[in-house]
Amino acid sequence: MDWMAWTWPTAAFFATIAALLVLFTVLAIRFPETPRVGVLRFETTRGDRLFITLLGAAFLNLAWLGLAPWPQWGALILCAGWAAAVFRWV
Amino acid sequence: MEKTVNHKAWFLVLPVLVLVAFSAVIPLMTVVNYSVQDTFGQNQFFWAGLNWFRETLASERMWDALGRQLVFSGIILAIEVPLGILVALSMPKKGVWASVCLVLMALPLLIPWNVVGTIWQIFGREDIGLLGYTLNALGVDYNYTQGFFAAWTTVIVMDVWHWTSLVALLAYAGLQSIPNAYYQAARIDQASRWAVFRYIELPKMQGVLMIAVLLRFMDSFMIYTEPFVVTGGGPGNATTFLSIDLVKMALGQFDLGPAAAFSLMYFLVILLVSYVFYTVMVNMEKREGK
Protein backbone atom coordinates (compact mmCIF):
# COMPACT_ATOMS: atom_id res chain seq x y z
CA MET A 1 0.00 0.00 0.00
CA ASP A 2 3.05 2.25 0.12
CA TRP A 3 2.59 3.34 -3.45
CA MET A 4 -0.82 4.78 -2.62
CA ALA A 5 0.86 7.25 -0.27
CA TRP A 6 -1.84 7.11 2.40
CA THR A 7 -2.17 9.79 5.04
CA TRP A 8 -4.42 9.79 8.10
CA PRO A 9 -6.60 12.70 6.97
CA THR A 10 -7.26 11.18 3.52
CA ALA A 11 -7.90 7.76 5.10
CA ALA A 12 -10.42 9.39 7.46
CA PHE A 13 -12.01 11.17 4.49
CA PHE A 14 -12.55 7.92 2.56
CA ALA A 15 -13.60 6.05 5.70
CA THR A 16 -16.30 8.69 6.29
CA ILE A 17 -17.60 8.32 2.75
CA ALA A 18 -17.52 4.52 3.01
CA ALA A 19 -19.36 4.70 6.36
CA LEU A 20 -21.99 7.00 4.81
CA LEU A 21 -22.48 4.56 1.93
CA VAL A 22 -22.90 1.63 4.34
CA LEU A 23 -25.28 3.66 6.52
CA PHE A 24 -27.45 4.65 3.56
CA THR A 25 -27.49 1.07 2.25
CA VAL A 26 -28.67 -0.17 5.64
CA LEU A 27 -31.26 2.61 5.78
CA ALA A 28 -32.50 1.71 2.30
CA ILE A 29 -32.93 -1.94 3.31
CA ARG A 30 -34.47 -1.29 6.74
CA PHE A 31 -36.67 1.64 5.77
CA PRO A 32 -37.53 1.42 2.07
CA GLU A 33 -38.77 4.69 0.65
CA THR A 34 -40.55 6.07 -2.37
CA PRO A 35 -38.68 8.70 -4.37
CA ARG A 36 -39.99 12.25 -4.03
CA VAL A 37 -39.92 15.36 -6.18
CA GLY A 38 -38.32 18.38 -4.54
CA VAL A 39 -37.26 21.88 -5.52
CA LEU A 40 -35.08 20.60 -8.35
CA ARG A 41 -38.27 19.13 -9.85
CA PHE A 42 -36.96 15.62 -10.39
CA GLU A 43 -37.36 12.46 -8.38
CA THR A 44 -34.71 11.82 -5.76
CA THR A 45 -34.11 9.03 -3.28
CA ARG A 46 -32.02 9.33 -0.11
CA GLY A 47 -29.03 8.04 -2.07
CA ASP A 48 -29.47 10.73 -4.73
CA ARG A 49 -29.65 13.37 -2.03
CA LEU A 50 -26.47 12.03 -0.45
CA PHE A 51 -24.71 12.25 -3.82
CA ILE A 52 -25.93 15.83 -4.39
CA THR A 53 -24.83 16.73 -0.87
CA LEU A 54 -21.32 15.30 -1.33
CA LEU A 55 -20.83 16.81 -4.79
CA GLY A 56 -22.09 20.18 -3.60
CA ALA A 57 -19.90 19.96 -0.51
CA ALA A 58 -16.83 19.45 -2.70
CA PHE A 59 -17.62 22.61 -4.67
CA LEU A 60 -18.46 24.57 -1.50
CA ASN A 61 -15.14 23.56 0.04
CA LEU A 62 -13.24 24.64 -3.07
CA ALA A 63 -15.13 27.94 -3.24
CA TRP A 64 -14.39 28.55 0.45
CA LEU A 65 -10.72 27.75 -0.07
CA GLY A 66 -10.44 30.06 -3.05
CA LEU A 67 -12.60 32.95 -1.87
CA ALA A 68 -13.01 33.05 1.90
CA PRO A 69 -10.21 34.42 4.10
CA TRP A 70 -11.33 32.26 7.07
CA PRO A 71 -10.07 28.83 8.18
CA GLN A 72 -11.21 25.82 6.19
CA TRP A 73 -13.33 24.26 8.94
CA GLY A 74 -15.76 27.13 8.38
CA ALA A 75 -16.67 25.41 5.11
CA LEU A 76 -17.77 22.36 7.12
CA ILE A 77 -20.45 24.44 8.86
CA LEU A 78 -21.60 25.71 5.48
CA CYS A 79 -21.66 22.12 4.16
CA ALA A 80 -23.72 20.95 7.16
CA GLY A 81 -26.26 23.64 6.29
CA TRP A 82 -26.14 22.57 2.65
CA ALA A 83 -26.71 18.92 3.62
CA ALA A 84 -29.68 19.85 5.81
CA ALA A 85 -31.17 21.93 2.99
CA VAL A 86 -30.68 19.17 0.40
CA PHE A 87 -32.25 16.49 2.61
CA ARG A 88 -35.14 18.79 3.53
CA TRP A 89 -36.05 20.33 0.17
CA VAL A 90 -34.46 18.44 -2.75
CA MET B 1 -47.37 -10.67 -12.85
CA GLU B 2 -45.68 -9.67 -9.65
CA LYS B 3 -42.02 -8.78 -9.84
CA THR B 4 -39.66 -10.91 -7.80
CA VAL B 5 -37.41 -8.90 -5.54
CA ASN B 6 -34.20 -10.67 -4.77
CA HIS B 7 -31.42 -8.62 -3.25
CA LYS B 8 -28.96 -11.49 -3.63
CA ALA B 9 -28.86 -10.57 -7.32
CA TRP B 10 -26.64 -7.67 -6.30
CA PHE B 11 -23.81 -10.19 -5.91
CA LEU B 12 -23.86 -10.53 -9.70
CA VAL B 13 -22.62 -6.94 -9.88
CA LEU B 14 -19.56 -7.81 -7.78
CA PRO B 15 -17.18 -8.60 -10.68
CA VAL B 16 -17.90 -5.19 -12.21
CA LEU B 17 -17.35 -3.53 -8.85
CA VAL B 18 -13.98 -5.23 -8.48
CA LEU B 19 -13.01 -4.16 -12.01
CA VAL B 20 -14.08 -0.56 -11.43
CA ALA B 21 -12.29 -0.54 -8.08
CA PHE B 22 -9.01 -1.45 -9.75
CA SER B 23 -9.40 0.70 -12.83
CA ALA B 24 -10.97 3.80 -11.29
CA VAL B 25 -11.57 3.91 -7.53
CA ILE B 26 -8.10 2.92 -6.31
CA PRO B 27 -6.25 5.21 -8.77
CA LEU B 28 -8.63 8.03 -7.81
CA MET B 29 -7.93 7.45 -4.11
CA THR B 30 -4.22 7.60 -4.89
CA VAL B 31 -4.72 10.92 -6.65
CA VAL B 32 -6.54 12.26 -3.59
CA ASN B 33 -3.60 11.13 -1.44
CA TYR B 34 -1.12 12.80 -3.79
CA SER B 35 -3.10 16.04 -3.79
CA VAL B 36 -2.31 16.77 -0.15
CA GLN B 37 1.38 15.85 -0.31
CA ASP B 38 4.59 16.76 -2.03
CA THR B 39 7.05 14.27 -3.44
CA PHE B 40 10.53 14.36 -4.91
CA GLY B 41 10.37 10.78 -6.15
CA GLN B 42 11.69 7.67 -4.38
CA ASN B 43 8.18 7.21 -2.93
CA GLN B 44 8.89 9.83 -0.28
CA PHE B 45 5.99 12.09 0.56
CA PHE B 46 5.65 15.25 2.64
CA TRP B 47 2.40 16.63 3.98
CA ALA B 48 1.30 19.77 2.13
CA GLY B 49 -2.28 20.12 3.36
CA LEU B 50 -4.56 22.12 1.11
CA ASN B 51 -1.74 24.17 -0.38
CA TRP B 52 -1.91 22.62 -3.84
CA PHE B 53 -5.62 23.28 -4.04
CA ARG B 54 -5.10 26.87 -2.92
CA GLU B 55 -2.29 27.30 -5.45
CA THR B 56 -4.30 25.77 -8.29
CA LEU B 57 -7.37 27.88 -7.53
CA ALA B 58 -5.23 31.01 -7.64
CA SER B 59 -3.32 29.93 -10.75
CA GLU B 60 -4.03 31.90 -13.88
CA ARG B 61 -2.68 29.01 -15.90
CA MET B 62 -5.48 26.67 -14.73
CA TRP B 63 -8.25 29.22 -15.31
CA ASP B 64 -6.88 30.02 -18.77
CA ALA B 65 -6.80 26.32 -19.70
CA LEU B 66 -10.32 25.87 -18.33
CA GLY B 67 -11.52 28.87 -20.34
CA ARG B 68 -9.95 27.53 -23.53
CA GLN B 69 -11.43 24.12 -22.82
CA LEU B 70 -14.96 25.50 -22.36
CA VAL B 71 -14.69 27.62 -25.51
CA PHE B 72 -13.44 24.60 -27.46
CA SER B 73 -16.23 22.31 -26.20
CA GLY B 74 -18.81 25.04 -26.84
CA ILE B 75 -17.66 25.61 -30.40
CA ILE B 76 -17.48 21.96 -31.39
CA LEU B 77 -20.91 21.23 -29.88
CA ALA B 78 -22.39 24.24 -31.68
CA ILE B 79 -21.01 22.90 -34.97
CA GLU B 80 -21.25 19.13 -34.59
CA VAL B 81 -24.79 18.81 -33.26
CA PRO B 82 -26.62 20.84 -35.94
CA LEU B 83 -24.31 19.50 -38.64
CA GLY B 84 -24.83 15.91 -37.46
CA ILE B 85 -28.62 16.37 -37.54
CA LEU B 86 -28.39 17.90 -41.00
CA VAL B 87 -26.28 15.00 -42.27
CA ALA B 88 -28.68 12.47 -40.71
CA LEU B 89 -31.66 14.20 -42.33
CA SER B 90 -30.04 14.11 -45.75
CA MET B 91 -29.02 10.44 -45.56
CA PRO B 92 -31.15 7.96 -47.55
CA LYS B 93 -33.64 6.11 -45.35
CA LYS B 94 -33.21 2.68 -46.93
CA GLY B 95 -31.57 0.80 -49.78
CA VAL B 96 -27.97 0.21 -50.78
CA TRP B 97 -27.05 3.87 -50.46
CA ALA B 98 -28.19 3.92 -46.86
CA SER B 99 -25.65 1.18 -46.06
CA VAL B 100 -22.93 2.89 -48.10
CA CYS B 101 -23.56 6.15 -46.24
CA LEU B 102 -23.50 4.39 -42.87
CA VAL B 103 -20.14 2.75 -43.62
CA LEU B 104 -18.67 6.01 -44.90
CA MET B 105 -19.93 7.89 -41.87
CA ALA B 106 -18.49 5.29 -39.51
CA LEU B 107 -14.99 5.46 -41.06
CA PRO B 108 -13.62 8.51 -39.21
CA LEU B 109 -14.83 7.02 -35.92
CA LEU B 110 -12.65 3.96 -36.45
CA ILE B 111 -9.41 5.89 -36.83
CA PRO B 112 -7.29 6.08 -33.66
CA TRP B 113 -6.89 9.54 -32.13
CA ASN B 114 -3.16 9.85 -32.75
CA VAL B 115 -3.59 8.82 -36.39
CA VAL B 116 -6.26 11.50 -36.82
CA GLY B 117 -3.82 13.97 -35.31
CA THR B 118 -1.03 12.85 -37.65
CA ILE B 119 -3.31 13.00 -40.70
CA TRP B 120 -4.27 16.60 -39.92
CA GLN B 121 -0.76 17.54 -38.91
CA ILE B 122 0.48 16.55 -42.37
CA PHE B 123 -2.66 17.74 -44.19
CA GLY B 124 -2.23 21.23 -42.74
CA ARG B 125 1.50 21.62 -43.35
CA GLU B 126 2.29 24.46 -45.68
CA ASP B 127 5.19 22.69 -47.41
CA ILE B 128 3.78 19.22 -48.10
CA GLY B 129 0.20 19.24 -46.83
CA LEU B 130 -2.62 19.48 -49.34
CA LEU B 131 -4.69 21.87 -47.20
CA GLY B 132 -1.84 24.06 -45.97
CA TYR B 133 -0.14 24.26 -49.36
CA THR B 134 -3.38 25.08 -51.21
CA LEU B 135 -4.45 27.74 -48.71
CA ASN B 136 -1.05 29.41 -48.88
CA ALA B 137 -1.04 29.21 -52.68
CA LEU B 138 -4.40 30.99 -52.60
CA GLY B 139 -2.82 33.75 -50.56
CA VAL B 140 -4.26 32.80 -47.17
CA ASP B 141 -1.68 33.14 -44.44
CA TYR B 142 -2.20 29.72 -42.86
CA ASN B 143 0.33 28.20 -40.49
CA TYR B 144 -0.98 26.29 -37.49
CA THR B 145 2.35 26.28 -35.74
CA GLN B 146 2.52 30.06 -35.63
CA GLY B 147 -0.93 31.52 -36.03
CA PHE B 148 -3.42 31.48 -33.16
CA PHE B 149 -6.42 31.50 -35.50
CA ALA B 150 -4.96 28.84 -37.81
CA ALA B 151 -4.19 26.55 -34.85
CA TRP B 152 -7.69 26.86 -33.40
CA THR B 153 -9.34 26.41 -36.79
CA THR B 154 -7.28 23.29 -37.49
CA VAL B 155 -8.06 21.73 -34.11
CA ILE B 156 -11.78 22.49 -34.42
CA VAL B 157 -12.11 21.35 -38.03
CA MET B 158 -10.22 18.17 -37.12
CA ASP B 159 -12.63 17.43 -34.28
CA VAL B 160 -15.63 18.17 -36.49
CA TRP B 161 -14.20 15.81 -39.12
CA HIS B 162 -13.56 13.09 -36.58
CA TRP B 163 -16.74 13.23 -34.52
CA THR B 164 -19.66 14.72 -36.48
CA SER B 165 -20.32 11.18 -37.74
CA LEU B 166 -21.10 10.06 -34.21
CA VAL B 167 -23.81 12.70 -33.83
CA ALA B 168 -25.07 11.93 -37.34
CA LEU B 169 -25.27 8.18 -36.70
CA LEU B 170 -27.08 8.69 -33.39
CA ALA B 171 -29.50 11.18 -34.95
CA TYR B 172 -30.01 8.78 -37.88
CA ALA B 173 -30.88 5.97 -35.45
CA GLY B 174 -33.36 8.33 -33.77
CA LEU B 175 -34.91 9.24 -37.12
CA GLN B 176 -35.21 5.62 -38.21
CA SER B 177 -37.22 4.79 -35.11
CA ILE B 178 -40.02 7.24 -35.98
CA PRO B 179 -43.04 5.24 -37.22
CA ASN B 180 -44.26 6.17 -40.68
CA ALA B 181 -47.71 7.02 -39.30
CA TYR B 182 -46.35 10.31 -37.91
CA TYR B 183 -45.24 11.41 -41.36
CA GLN B 184 -48.54 10.32 -42.89
CA ALA B 185 -50.42 12.37 -40.31
CA ALA B 186 -48.18 15.34 -41.07
CA ARG B 187 -48.89 14.97 -44.80
CA ILE B 188 -52.65 14.89 -44.17
CA ASP B 189 -52.29 18.09 -42.15
CA GLN B 190 -50.15 19.55 -44.96
CA ALA B 191 -47.39 20.29 -42.47
CA SER B 192 -44.37 22.15 -43.83
CA ARG B 193 -40.92 20.51 -43.86
CA TRP B 194 -39.91 22.73 -40.96
CA ALA B 195 -43.02 21.76 -38.95
CA VAL B 196 -42.26 18.06 -39.52
CA PHE B 197 -38.75 18.62 -38.23
CA ARG B 198 -39.78 20.83 -35.31
CA TYR B 199 -42.76 18.83 -34.05
CA ILE B 200 -42.01 15.25 -35.08
CA GLU B 201 -38.35 14.60 -35.80
CA LEU B 202 -36.70 16.82 -33.20
CA PRO B 203 -38.84 15.64 -30.23
CA LYS B 204 -38.34 12.03 -31.29
CA MET B 205 -34.58 12.55 -31.55
CA GLN B 206 -34.37 14.30 -28.17
CA GLY B 207 -33.16 11.22 -26.29
CA VAL B 208 -30.38 10.25 -28.68
CA LEU B 209 -29.36 13.89 -29.09
CA MET B 210 -28.92 14.21 -25.34
CA ILE B 211 -26.64 11.17 -25.45
CA ALA B 212 -24.77 12.69 -28.39
CA VAL B 213 -24.30 16.01 -26.58
CA LEU B 214 -23.17 14.25 -23.42
CA LEU B 215 -20.69 12.02 -25.27
CA ARG B 216 -19.31 14.88 -27.34
CA PHE B 217 -19.06 17.19 -24.35
CA MET B 218 -17.21 14.63 -22.26
CA ASP B 219 -14.87 13.61 -25.05
CA SER B 220 -14.09 17.18 -26.07
CA PHE B 221 -13.66 18.21 -22.44
CA MET B 222 -11.05 15.50 -22.01
CA ILE B 223 -9.43 15.88 -25.45
CA TYR B 224 -5.71 15.32 -25.44
CA THR B 225 -4.15 13.30 -28.24
CA GLU B 226 -5.37 15.09 -31.34
CA PRO B 227 -4.41 18.69 -30.44
CA PHE B 228 -1.25 17.39 -28.79
CA VAL B 229 -0.13 15.69 -32.02
CA VAL B 230 -1.07 18.63 -34.25
CA THR B 231 -0.13 21.73 -32.28
CA GLY B 232 1.47 20.39 -29.09
CA GLY B 233 -0.63 22.96 -27.22
CA GLY B 234 0.85 25.85 -29.18
CA PRO B 235 1.52 28.36 -30.55
CA GLY B 236 2.47 29.52 -27.08
CA ASN B 237 -0.37 28.17 -24.98
CA ALA B 238 -3.08 28.87 -27.54
CA THR B 239 -4.37 25.31 -27.75
CA THR B 240 -3.23 24.05 -24.35
CA PHE B 241 -6.42 22.46 -23.12
CA LEU B 242 -6.95 21.09 -19.62
CA SER B 243 -5.55 17.62 -20.15
CA ILE B 244 -2.56 18.87 -22.14
CA ASP B 245 -1.76 21.27 -19.30
CA LEU B 246 -2.30 18.52 -16.77
CA VAL B 247 0.10 16.14 -18.50
CA LYS B 248 2.69 18.90 -18.80
CA MET B 249 2.39 19.51 -15.08
CA ALA B 250 2.33 15.88 -13.94
CA LEU B 251 4.81 14.27 -16.33
CA GLY B 252 6.78 17.19 -17.78
CA GLN B 253 7.42 19.00 -14.52
CA PHE B 254 6.80 16.00 -12.22
CA ASP B 255 4.67 18.25 -10.00
CA LEU B 256 2.51 15.38 -8.80
CA GLY B 257 0.87 17.26 -5.93
CA PRO B 258 -0.39 20.29 -7.90
CA ALA B 259 -1.30 18.02 -10.82
CA ALA B 260 -3.34 15.80 -8.49
CA ALA B 261 -5.19 18.82 -7.07
CA PHE B 262 -5.77 20.08 -10.62
CA SER B 263 -7.08 16.72 -11.81
CA LEU B 264 -9.46 16.42 -8.86
CA MET B 265 -11.04 19.75 -9.76
CA TYR B 266 -11.19 18.64 -13.38
CA PHE B 267 -12.87 15.42 -12.23
CA LEU B 268 -15.42 17.32 -10.14
CA VAL B 269 -16.49 19.42 -13.13
CA ILE B 270 -16.89 16.28 -15.24
CA LEU B 271 -18.80 14.53 -12.45
CA LEU B 272 -21.17 17.48 -12.11
CA VAL B 273 -21.85 17.74 -15.83
CA SER B 274 -22.33 13.97 -16.19
CA TYR B 275 -24.76 13.95 -13.28
CA VAL B 276 -26.80 16.79 -14.74
CA PHE B 277 -26.98 15.09 -18.16
CA TYR B 278 -27.76 11.72 -16.60
CA THR B 279 -30.59 13.19 -14.51
CA VAL B 280 -32.04 15.05 -17.49
CA MET B 281 -31.88 11.88 -19.62
CA VAL B 282 -33.46 9.63 -17.00
CA ASN B 283 -36.26 12.12 -16.34
CA MET B 284 -36.90 12.53 -20.05
CA GLU B 285 -37.31 8.76 -20.38
CA LYS B 286 -39.66 8.70 -17.40
CA ARG B 287 -41.79 11.47 -18.87
CA GLU B 288 -41.92 9.68 -22.22
CA GLY B 289 -42.82 6.44 -20.49
CA LYS B 290 -45.83 7.99 -18.75
Side-chain angles (χ1 to χ4, degrees), chain A residues 43, chain B residues 182 203-204 206-207 280-290:
Chain A
E43 278 187 354
Chain B
Y182 284 85
K204 285 283 169 191
Q206 214 181 18
V280 170
M281 238 148 48
V282 168
N283 282 290
M284 217 156 57
E285 275 164 22
K286 271 186 198 155
R287 236 177 298 142
E288 274 171 18
K290 270 179 191 164

Side-chain angles (χ1 to χ4, degrees), chain B residues 186-200:
Chain B
R187 265 200 299 278
I188 292 169
D189 289 343
Q190 292 187 323
S192 63
R193 182 68 191 88
W194 168 251
V196 171
F197 174 70
R198 172 69 188 81
Y199 296 105
I200 297 175

Side-chain angles (χ1 to χ4, degrees), chain A residues 5-87:
Chain A
W6 280 104
T7 64
W8 281 111
T10 48
F13 170 75
F14 283 116
T16 312
I17 291 181
L20 278 172
L21 287 178
V22 171
L23 175 72
F24 274 72
T25 310
V26 172
L27 278 179
I29 294 169
R30 290 289 300 276
F31 310 102
E33 51 155 358
T34 40
R36 68 158 195 235
V37 179
V39 283
L40 294 179
R41 292 179 32 234
F42 59 81
E43 278 187 354
T44 52
T45 60
R46 274 189 294 250
D48 292 326
R49 293 193 282 276
L50 175 67
F51 180 78
I52 297 170
T53 303
L54 289 177
L55 190 59
F59 279 100
L60 283 176
N61 267 294
L62 282 177
W64 187 278
L65 187 67
L67 303 171
W70 306 293
Q72 194 59 27
W73 55 261
L76 270 186
I77 300 171
L78 190 65
C79 289
W82 163 250
V86 169
F87 276 89

Side-chain angles (χ1 to χ4, degrees), chain A residues 2-7 9-11 13-14 41-44 48 51-52 55 58-59 62-63 65-66 72, chain B residues 26 28-30 32-34 36-37 43 45 47 50 53-54 57 265 268-269 271-272 275 279 283 286 290:
Chain A
D2 262 2
W3 64 273
M4 281 182 81
W6 280 104
T7 64
T10 48
F13 170 75
F14 283 116
R41 292 179 32 234
F42 59 81
E43 278 187 354
T44 52
D48 292 326
F51 180 78
I52 297 170
L55 190 59
F59 279 100
L62 282 177
L65 187 67
Q72 194 59 27
Chain B
I26 292 176
L28 189 67
M29 284 171 143
T30 313
V32 173
N33 291 343
Y34 279 16
V36 291
Q37 298 178 83
N43 227 10
F45 291 89
W47 177 251
L50 293 171
F53 287 94
R54 207 169 283 130
L57 281 170
M265 291 181 205
L268 279 178
V269 174
L271 197 58
L272 177 69
Y275 182 68
T279 313
N283 282 290
K286 271 186 198 155
K290 270 179 191 164

Side-chain angles (χ1 to χ4, degrees), chain B residues 49-68:
Chain B
L50 293 171
N51 279 339
W52 300 135
F53 287 94
R54 207 169 283 130
E55 199 176 86
T56 311
L57 281 170
S59 122
E60 217 169 278
R61 172 177 164 179
M62 194 275 285
W63 290 109
D64 285 351
L66 179 66
R68 278 190 291 268

Side-chain angles (χ1 to χ4, degrees), chain B residues 2 22 28 72 96 120 165 233 284:
Chain B
E2 204 163 302
F22 276 97
L28 189 67
F72 175 75
V96 182
W120 280 83
S165 305
M284 217 156 57

